[in-house]
Amino acid sequence: MIAARYQTAFRLYPYEKVTDQEASSAVRHPVVIIGGGPIGMGLALDLGKKGIRCLVLDDHDGVGMGSRAICFAKRTLEICDRLGCGDPMVEKGVVWNLGRVYREQEEIYNFNLLPEGGHKRPAFINLQQPYFEQFIVEQIREQQAAGAPIKIRGQNLLTKLEQKPDHILLNVDTPDGPYQIEAEYLVACDGASSPTRNMLGLGFEGRVFEDNFLIADIRMNADFPVERRFWFNPPFNPNETALMHKQPDDIWRLDFQLGWDIDRKVELDSAKISKRVSEMIGKDIEFELVWTSIYTFRCCTMKDYRHGRIFFAGDSAHQVSPFGARGANGGIQDIDNLGWKLAAVLDGGAPDALLDSYHDERKYGAIENIKNSSRSADFLTPRNAAHEMFRDAVLDLVKDFEFAQPMVNSGRLSMPCTYDASPLNSADALVGGPTRTRPGSPLSDAPLSSGYLLDHVAGQFAILAINCDAPEVFEIDGISVEVHSLSGADDSEGHLAERYLGRSGSALYLVRPDQHVAGRWPAFDADTVATAIQKAIGRE
């Protein structure tokens, strides 16, 4: 029998006995999600807003302790806007665009992650993961009150699963004992150690990086700048690296590279950590240790993200180094991709084969993240003398030679994935179209006369008709596609034209429910658009 054993920051879904536990036979649910972290709850919110019945099973009853993930990228915030919880995240979070890199104590390089204007959201916010999860669950509660079919069951532990031809049979343990349910589809969002993955005997492909890093979250009142600050070989951590970020509530995240051969118990001693912190921030600054942890990391991925009726998302599917903030941000992109496809299949508007494209697209995204993450890790922790020589040469050059700046890799930060090879894309027919909005890419935001572009295109298929004629609504085989007609009058700052128009001065975009471009053309043609829609929902 499961017992409460998890210390929570926010107890958001305490255990309650439900009728499924006393049913004479296993009750079937369209979608069961294993894991109540930001990935699982984000998927539940997305499905619920689309009217899809879903159930979250979590082995604890709220949000866990410790800040953990803190850097949430612009694309993640845009997805959260679509889900209805972006505003409180940005209001609570620490907004930043600027990063600085130091060698010892000398600044050698700085960068702005969002130097251009015309975007609703910043490049990044820093926000402790418990708050991020809390805002998602609060939005779920609002949606539940409005009738969204989302259920959350805390202290419900999956202990066994069995795939059948048309469903999955799940054994679940609770404080009141075990029971069974069925799921048409199951999504494992249960983290790096994924019990679901282990039950299926599945593993990872990738590599472990031989290094250790100490996280110290401290509370202090200090006038340090609100920016990402990274050090190579600082005097307070010789021959290693260090990182400083500000979080809400006067909490600061400090990271110290420790090396591979360490005594974890010694390094986690609070007196030793406090000494490290004082040497970094200054011995006259008072602080309080809030949370500490030592981590190692892997860059790895499952071979397949779909196994019959079971899908894997977030850390259960892939893992990267923490440098670059690719973990949670990549996981949110996973569920952004999967949610609309599950809804389309369960509503009968798309074939089951559409779900195969989840693996195609998000495995592509994970490999891209792993490649960038591995390069960051190799720069920070050189594997051999040649790697170390390259890193040191770059650091020697970067202050005086601009060409070396892109080579500095203190953790290349998360960028949204463009699905260039997606089977759902139509050929790019917009001559001279901007690269940033090619088929497969996420829409680039732009200010309009009435708000921002992404606020108008969210959650369903849509057509953007810019400087060209198109019907108000386009319908095909039961799919109604809203058309947004835009012109120069909507684009007073010129960002829309810069980001979307080709040489002809007009453009028509087909946009998926996850705000990725499915196809683009110089003008509207009913047959062409109809074919593209069929392809984008897996009917072709």
Side-chain angles (χ1 to χ4, degrees):
M1 187 179 298
I2 188 172
R5 62 185 187 282
Y6 190 90
Q7 188 178 8
T8 56
F10 304 114
R11 194 164 180 253
L12 299 175
Y13 34 93
Y15 171 75
E16 294 181 359
K17 193 169 185 179
V18 295
T19 56
D20 283 8
Q21 293 170 252
E22 298 179 344
S24 57
S25 59
V27 175
R28 183 170 296 189
H29 299 264
V31 180
V32 174
I33 299 164
I34 307 299
I39 313 306
M41 289 301 182
L43 178 59
L45 177 55
D46 196 9
L47 291 172
K49 285 172 68 71
K50 292 178 169 64
I52 301 298
R53 290 193 296 118
C54 58
L55 167 64
V56 180
L57 301 180
D58 200 292
D59 63 352
H60 53 84
D61 59 7
V63 178
M65 296 292 289
S67 65
R68 292 167 289 159
I70 64 165
C71 295
F72 294 98
K74 177 177 177 289
R75 181 62 196 143
T76 293
L77 299 176
E78 291 166 350
I79 293 168
C80 289
D81 279 340
R82 180 176 63 76
L83 298 178
C85 49
D87 282 344
M89 292 175 177
V90 175
E91 290 168 5
K92 179 69 175 179
V94 174
V95 172
W96 66 278
N97 293 317
L98 186 67
R100 298 186 187 277
V101 179
Y102 300 83
R103 191 178 192 185
E104 297 178 355
Q105 292 287 54
E106 180 184 18
E107 181 179 336
I108 59 172
Y109 175 53
N110 64 69
F111 55 88
N112 189 336
L113 290 166
L114 193 63
E116 65 178 13
H119 294 271
K120 178 179 178 180
R121 293 310 186 195
F124 276 88
I125 64 167
N126 285 352
L127 179 70
Q128 295 94 321
Q129 184 174 323
Y131 285 124
F132 187 86
E133 293 184 39
Q134 180 187 31
F135 292 136
I136 293 176
V137 174
E138 287 176 353
Q139 180 59 211
I140 287 176
R141 297 305 187 199
E142 288 188 27
Q143 294 296 321
Q144 288 174 323
I150 307 169
K151 296 180 180 178
I152 304 172
R153 296 180 186 171
Q155 293 188 52
N156 274 239
L157 173 68
L158 175 66
T159 58
K160 183 180 178 181
L161 59 83
E162 183 179 356
Q163 288 218 58
K164 306 288 187 179
D166 65 344
H167 70 278
I168 305 136
L169 180 64
L170 310 178
N171 287 17
V172 182
D173 199 7
T174 76
D176 285 314
Y179 71 107
Q180 290 186 321
I181 56 174
E182 295 175 353
E184 291 183 48
Y185 293 101
L186 182 143
V187 185
C189 305
D190 47 353
S193 299
S194 184
T196 308
R197 189 183 64 240
N198 294 334
M199 288 175 197
L200 294 174
L202 301 172
F204 279 123
E205 303 169 342
R207 89 186 230 230
V208 176
F209 285 80
E210 295 186 353
D211 211 334
N212 292 279
F213 293 83
L214 169 70
I215 290 176
D217 278 0
I218 65 170
R219 180 177 286 109
M220 67 174 175
N221 290 309
D223 58 358
F224 296 128
V226 180
E227 55 195 28
R228 183 182 191 265
R229 303 173 74 197
F230 189 95
W231 288 264
F232 289 97
N233 190 28
F236 52 81
N237 199 31
N239 302 315
E240 304 291 359
T241 64
L243 176 69
M244 176 185 285
H245 264 300
K246 185 176 183 181
Q247 304 176 66
D249 304 330
D250 293 322
I251 305 295
W252 294 75
R253 160 69 58 85
L254 312 180
D255 282 60
F256 300 91
Q257 185 179 11
L258 299 178
W260 182 240
D261 188 17
I262 65 167
D263 185 324
R264 295 173 70 92
K265 183 176 179 180
V266 170
E267 295 296 344
L268 282 171
D269 178 75
S270 59
K272 184 165 186 176
I273 295 174
S274 294
K275 183 175 183 294
R276 281 186 180 276
V277 172
S278 289
E279 290 174 350
M280 181 182 195
I281 65 175
K283 295 184 178 181
D284 295 332
I285 297 177
E286 295 184 358
F287 67 91
E288 172 193 356
L289 288 178
V290 175
W291 179 69
T292 60
S293 177
I294 289 178
Y295 64 87
T296 57
F297 59 86
R298 295 185 289 178
C299 288
C300 54
T301 175
M302 293 180 67
K303 180 180 179 182
D304 298 298
Y305 294 177
R306 180 180 187 182
H307 291 264
R309 292 178 170 269
I310 301 174
F311 300 84
F312 290 84
D315 284 350
S316 71
H318 46 74
Q319 295 168 37
V320 293
S321 83
F323 294 102
R326 297 175 183 276
N329 289 296
I332 293 295
Q333 290 179 56
D334 287 349
I335 57 99
D336 186 45
N337 186 287
L338 181 58
W340 73 269
K341 296 172 181 178
L342 278 171
V345 171
L346 288 165
D347 280 340
D352 179 84
L354 174 65
L355 297 172
D356 291 337
S357 69
Y358 166 69
H359 164 81
D360 295 333
E361 294 181 338
R362 290 311 303 157
K363 178 70 176 285
Y364 179 86
I367 290 172
E368 180 180 281
N369 273 337
I370 287 170
K371 182 187 300 182
N372 284 301
S373 185
S374 297
R375 286 172 177 168
S376 294
D378 284 337
F379 196 87
L380 299 175
T381 61
R383 284 187 287 166
N384 52 47
H387 282 186
E388 186 173 3
M389 185 182 300
F390 171 77
R391 183 193 67 180
D392 291 346
V394 169
L395 296 179
D396 286 339
L397 292 168
V398 69
K399 185 178 178 183
D400 298 318
F401 297 96
E402 188 174 343
F403 80 88
Q405 292 178 358
M407 301 181 194
V408 176
N409 195 336
S410 61
R412 295 276 165 76
L413 288 150
S414 175
M415 297 291 290
C417 180
T418 294
Y419 306 130
D420 283 309
S422 172
L424 308 186
N425 291 348
S426 292
D428 187 0
L430 184 64
V431 177
T435 301
R436 69 198 294 177
T437 47
R438 66 190 184 273
S441 65
L443 288 185
S444 182
D445 206 3
L448 303 177
S449 57
S450 56
Y452 282 85
L453 176 63
L454 292 185
D455 289 335
H456 295 278
V457 186
Q460 59 185 359
F461 276 99
I463 289 172
L464 295 180
I466 308 172
N467 296 340
C468 62
D469 294 330
E472 292 185 3
V473 176
F474 184 71
E475 295 187 4
I476 174 175
D477 294 344
I479 299 175
S480 181
V481 181
E482 186 175 353
V483 177
H484 301 270
S485 293
L486 302 168
S487 67
D490 301 295
D491 188 27
S492 61
E493 299 180 33
H495 293 297
L496 188 69
E498 175 195 356
R499 294 165 191 174
Y500 286 91
L501 293 183
R503 293 175 191 166
S504 65
S506 64
L508 186 123
Y509 284 76
L510 175 63
V511 183
R512 304 178 349 178
D514 59 359
Q515 298 177 329
H516 279 253
V517 175
R520 63 181 185 177
W521 307 268
F524 176 80
D525 178 82
D527 291 339
T528 300
V529 173
T531 299
I533 293 172
Q534 295 280 21
K535 187 172 187 179
I537 60 172
R539 289 182 182 171
E540 185 181 292

